[in-house]
């Protein structure tokens, strides 16, 4: 089975940028959709942005459209989440998840394999 590990989180000021990485091991990500999800303290986990297994289709939550961009680099077996114009409400633990031959939907139950998360804190 595939394993995914997130990295790139940290502390950033409002308006700043971060790029999160989701790196796979165990097998290639070529045939996996990847979703980014986040969970803030006291909140339910929510979908952020997802990409299908081909990389040709993406979906994003309304709250991040125009600010976050998901992309994949199959040669590096990595999926990225470029986060721009960050807001304090973006503060959360961000999780990467994989779905075999997934459609890249924002539905959490589609995803089978989950990373441990990386903390993103947006604060001045």
């Amino acid at each position: 089975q595939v394993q995914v590990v997130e990295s790139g989180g940290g502390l950033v000021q409002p308006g700043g940028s971060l790029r999160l990485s989701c790196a796979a091991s165990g097998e290639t990500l070529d045939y996996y959709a990847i979703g980014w999800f986040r969970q803030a303290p006291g909140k339910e986990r929510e979908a952020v942005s997802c990409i299908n297994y081909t990389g040709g289709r993406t979906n994003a939550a309304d709250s991040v459209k125009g600010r976050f961009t998901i992309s994949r680099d199959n040669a590096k077996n990595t999926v990225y989440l470029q986060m721009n114009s960050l807001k304090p409400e973006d503060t959360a633990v961000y999780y990467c998840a994989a779905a075999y031959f997934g459609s890249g939907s924002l539905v959490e139950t589609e995803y089978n394999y989950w990373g441990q998360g990386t903390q993103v804190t947006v604060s001045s």
Side-chain angles (χ1 to χ4, degrees):
Q1 63 180 23
V2 69
Q3 296 179 356
V4 291
V5 178
E6 307 92 336
S7 63
L11 175 65
V12 64
Q13 293 187 1
S17 298
L18 286 173
R19 189 177 73 164
L20 305 184
S21 297
C22 175
S25 63
E27 60 180 293
T28 180
L29 278 181
D30 289 4
Y31 304 116
Y32 288 85
I34 296 294
W36 286 98
F37 300 81
R38 67 186 182 188
Q39 187 168 25
K43 303 281 189 178
E44 295 292 319
R45 188 160 59 191
E46 63 178 348
V48 177
S49 188
C50 304
I51 189 166
N52 77 335
Y53 74 96
T54 68
R57 300 178 70 90
T58 62
N59 293 287
D62 289 342
S63 60
V64 306
K65 286 181 178 177
R67 300 189 298 121
F68 293 8
T69 302
I70 190 170
S71 62
R72 64 161 69 232
D73 186 340
N74 286 348
K76 296 181 178 179
N77 221 24
T78 301
V79 171
Y80 303 99
L81 183 68
Q82 180 66 47
M83 308 165 65
N84 298 326
S85 301
L86 284 161
K87 305 174 181 179
E89 51 263 44
D90 295 318
T91 295
V93 176
Y94 283 71
Y95 297 90
C96 173
Y100 190 57
F101 281 101
S103 68
S105 79
L106 299 175
V107 179
E108 181 175 325
T109 55
E110 180 177 327
Y111 297 87
N112 311 102
Y113 307 102
W114 291 76
Q116 295 300 306
T118 186
Q119 177 70 47
V120 172
T121 302
V122 185
S123 177
S124 60

